[in-house]
Amino acid sequence: LTDESTKAFRNTLRERFPSDPRRCPLYQDIREGVTPAGIEYYLPLFFDRTDTLFDYLAGGAMFVLGDGVLDAAEHFWAQANERYEQRSHDVERPILPVAELYLPPQQLRERLNDELRVDVVAKGTHDHAKELGTQPAPILPINRKNEAPADELKRFLAAYPGRVLITSDSAGRREALLELLALGHLRPTIVASWPEFISGDERDAFPHRDALAQRFAITVASLEQGFALTSPAITILTERELLGERAQQTRRRKRGARDPETIIRDLGELALGAPIVHIDHGVGRYQGLLKLDVGGQGGEFLAIEYAKGDKLYVPVSQLHLVGRYTGAAPELAPLHSLGGDAWERAKKKAAQKVRDVAAELLAIYAQREARQGVALPVDRAMAEQFAASFPFEETPDQQQAIEAVIDDLASGKPMDRVVCGDVGFGKTEVALRAAFVAATAGKQVAVLVPTTLLAQQHYQNFRDRFADWPVRVDVLSRFKSKKETEEALKKLADGQIDVMIGTHKLLQSDVRFKDLGLVIVDEE
């Protein structure tokens, strides 16, 4: 949308369609620099000519057409032309003929006939079709509760003459799978990619491995399901075939309520007699919504009953002054008197507590500012490489928080930063980036969480993200035996663990770090 192209668009639009530009919303939007929805359907008006997909592909590209794709093109073409016939008479909203936007199906067929092409068809529908020799992968569940969890897989490998590749969703999941397979004395070769797996015999690269390991490998690839080839004999197994479920889930954002719980969003949620608070008069009981005539004008009012039967009528326009009572159980809520001083005393007492806390915070932060902290060296190139393994795009707020935290770690001041956000907004990723900077700077990291379950979740997340880095992660939780806990504490004290995750157990006197550089507290 350059000045030149938008000017060309306006000129061409006036030439093509005999309508008054002042009555054309599209023309006015473009003239004012606004990009209206659906502007892509006017692409030919911005340029002298437009290209198709065929113009972008180098010679020798191979097209693979799914079953029924050309029939779908015919259906789309008919549907688009039908819409054009219905809407082409609106002079205020002119539209272009379908042929200016899309290749007609006949032209599409002609172009495809000139290209290298594979048609995928249903089995038995064409006499000359070549059987690809594919079939679903076998289901070979790994049972974590068994002493030999991978027995079925082991039997399959012993009987199968071909090669087997296991795919996991992430590097961390790959490591977890390797641990499970090791319990069954199965040790697949780690390969970086599909080409590496099929490029030849692993005997050249791993001459010391046994015959099974030379035809059994594992890699990171986010496949939905596995499959098997007849020739060459290759079977691809995913986590779903082995563990019965897909480990990676699509990120879901939970949209938080914008208003605090204390704001009354819907009067229908309030029961008669429920305690509510007016900012100027204190706690009373909700008595419903009434219509009153005041000064010759009617209106709706919220009725609140106070002690001694006094009532206050609040216009709905002033609802922002009223909120829910959240101090205790509704039946234990106090009842203030209109005109009394109990509410004022309560507000003054609360204000004094706020001032006391503020003074304490000021003293703490004055001491903090006066202290000298440890400035951690930040390897930006390595941090960028770690960030690239994040499977989602950072939101602007998340990116800002990450940069602020890393700047804190690199500064010479003691760090104290709060990162707030609703569930699914990416706080854990901010913590991961900070932990990475601290760990690669030679410091240990403690991650303090409120529950054992959350400790396990964080342990899996941290181990997953650090799987391809020399960062050692461990967890202290009640799921570990006494012997395992003692061993982990010894490694922590010796500096053999970089990131330790745990509940309040991390704060006990027997937990010693060799060189603690960062504490991450995950609390609401």
Side-chain angles (χ1 to χ4, degrees):
L1 292 173
T2 62
D3 291 341
E4 185 182 349
S5 66
T6 52
K7 184 179 178 181
F9 168 81
R10 296 201 306 271
N11 290 337
T12 311
L13 192 69
R14 285 199 303 266
E15 292 169 7
R16 290 282 304 271
F17 301 100
S19 59
D20 185 352
R22 292 172 298 180
R23 296 175 58 193
C24 178
L26 176 69
Y27 184 94
Q28 296 300 325
D29 282 346
I30 292 293
R31 193 182 71 170
E32 293 169 13
V34 176
T35 308
I39 190 64
E40 62 272 17
Y41 294 106
Y42 299 90
L43 197 67
L45 302 187
F46 285 91
F47 303 99
D48 294 333
R49 72 180 191 90
T50 53
D51 296 326
T52 70
L53 179 64
F54 294 98
D55 300 309
Y56 282 88
L57 295 173
M62 177 180 282
F63 289 79
V64 180
L65 303 187
D67 191 18
V69 69
L70 292 173
D71 292 336
E74 296 275 5
H75 176 71
F76 172 81
W77 183 257
Q79 203 174 38
N81 275 287
E82 185 181 333
R83 285 201 299 269
Y84 174 75
E85 291 299 326
Q86 292 170 353
R87 302 177 188 183
S88 61
H89 309 294
D90 188 345
V91 293
E92 293 184 6
R93 292 175 176 80
I95 57 175
L96 295 176
V98 182
E100 290 190 42
L101 298 169
Y102 299 100
L103 278 180
Q106 184 56 38
Q107 284 189 34
L108 177 64
R109 288 177 187 271
E110 290 170 2
R111 294 295 300 268
L112 287 169
N113 287 338
D114 293 334
E115 306 287 345
L116 288 171
R117 172 173 150 194
V118 173
D119 288 342
V120 180
V121 296
K123 193 170 184 177
T125 56
H126 288 73
D127 294 336
H128 302 294
K130 179 176 174 59
E131 176 62 54
L132 292 179
T134 59
Q135 55 194 15
I139 305 298
L140 304 166
I142 293 178
N143 190 341
R144 297 181 180 90
K145 296 178 182 177
N146 290 353
E147 288 185 11
D151 265 5
E152 288 194 43
L153 175 60
K154 202 168 184 178
R155 283 194 291 270
F156 172 77
L157 289 169
Y160 185 65
R163 303 171 68 198
V164 176
L165 177 67
I166 292 176
T167 67
S168 59
D169 283 333
S170 65
R173 297 297 306 164
R174 179 194 66 202
E175 297 304 309
L177 266 174
L178 285 170
E179 287 181 10
L180 275 173
L181 294 172
L183 295 176
H185 305 290
L186 291 173
R187 292 175 177 81
T189 302
I190 298 174
V191 294
S193 63
W194 170 256
E196 185 179 328
F197 174 68
I198 63 168
S199 61
D201 201 326
E202 283 90 354
R203 278 175 294 196
D204 301 332
F206 303 97
H208 62 284
R209 287 186 176 269
D210 57 32
L212 176 58
Q214 288 167 357
R215 58 185 183 85
F216 181 35
I218 187 169
T219 192
V220 176
S222 190
L223 291 185
E224 194 67 34
Q225 63 186 82
F227 57 91
L229 301 177
T230 306
S231 180
I234 292 178
T235 294
I236 311 296
L237 298 171
T238 67
E239 288 188 47
R240 175 173 293 180
E241 280 88 26
L242 296 176
L243 301 178
E245 60 183 14
R246 187 175 176 83
Q248 186 170 324
Q249 296 181 353
T250 306
R251 187 186 211 188
R252 294 189 295 269
R253 285 198 181 277
K254 179 182 175 184
R255 186 178 179 83
R258 187 178 60 182
D259 304 325
E261 181 63 22
T262 52
I263 294 178
I264 300 172
R265 289 180 291 275
D266 183 0
L267 294 175
E269 295 177 7
L270 288 175
L272 290 177
I276 55 176
V277 184
H278 191 286
I279 195 169
D280 294 324
H281 304 287
V283 184
R285 296 294 185 273
Y286 173 64
Q287 296 300 317
L289 203 60
L290 305 175
K291 288 187 177 180
L292 299 176
D293 191 358
V294 179
Q297 289 189 335
E300 286 189 305
F301 293 81
L302 193 73
I304 306 176
E305 184 175 357
Y306 285 87
K308 303 174 187 175
D310 294 339
K311 288 192 177 177
L312 177 71
Y313 298 98
V314 182
V316 290
S317 61
Q318 295 181 12
L319 267 184
H320 60 281
L321 300 176
V322 181
R324 296 176 185 275
Y325 175 80
T326 58
E331 60 272 13
L332 301 176
L335 192 62
H336 292 124
S337 299
L338 275 180
D341 61 353
W343 176 242
E344 285 302 319
R345 287 202 311 271
K347 285 205 293 185
K348 283 180 181 176
K349 187 176 179 182
Q352 183 59 48
K353 282 187 176 179
V354 170
R355 279 193 291 273
D356 291 346
V357 171
E360 185 181 353
L361 285 173
L362 281 171
I364 290 171
Y365 279 88
Q367 293 175 34
R368 183 178 287 276
E369 285 294 310
R371 273 182 157 181
Q372 185 64 32
V374 177
L376 297 182
V378 180
D379 187 326
R380 292 285 175 179
M382 199 154 57
E384 285 296 322
Q385 197 176 344
F386 177 72
S389 64
F390 183 47
F392 309 103
E393 184 178 348
E394 296 88 349
T395 65
D397 289 339
Q398 189 183 28
Q399 188 63 48
Q400 187 180 355
I402 289 167
E403 289 169 2
V405 166
I406 292 177
D407 288 345
D408 280 354
L409 290 167
S411 75
K413 296 279 178 81
M415 178 181 181
D416 183 22
R417 181 170 289 272
V418 179
V419 177
C420 302
D422 209 337
V423 174
F425 273 44
K427 299 184 296 295
T428 303
E429 181 62 21
V430 180
L432 277 159
R433 304 282 178 93
F436 180 81
V437 169
T440 53
K443 296 288 183 179
Q444 289 176 300
V445 180
V447 183
L448 184 64
V449 297
T451 66
T452 303
L453 184 61
L454 193 57
Q456 287 298 123
Q457 289 174 350
H458 275 330
Y459 173 58
Q460 292 295 340
N461 285 334
F462 274 69
R463 199 172 77 154
D464 188 353
R465 289 299 307 283
F466 291 133
D468 289 331
W469 295 89
V471 176
R472 295 151 298 189
V473 182
D474 209 335
V475 63
L476 288 180
S477 77
R478 58 184 172 82
F479 294 135
K480 283 196 164 186
S481 65
K482 185 178 178 182
K483 183 181 177 182
E484 288 173 326
T485 301
E486 288 174 354
E487 187 178 341
L489 290 176
K490 185 178 184 305
K491 286 182 178 180
L492 186 67
D494 292 341
Q496 296 178 41
I497 292 174
D498 301 300
V499 180
M500 180 60 89
I501 301 165
T503 57
H504 62 279
K505 187 176 178 65
L506 275 179
L507 305 177
Q508 292 178 0
S509 58
D510 60 336
V511 179
R512 291 185 176 86
F513 291 82
K514 184 178 181 181
D515 188 6
L516 181 61
L518 174 66
V519 178
I520 298 169
V521 183
D522 187 357
E523 272 286 3
E524 292 192 357

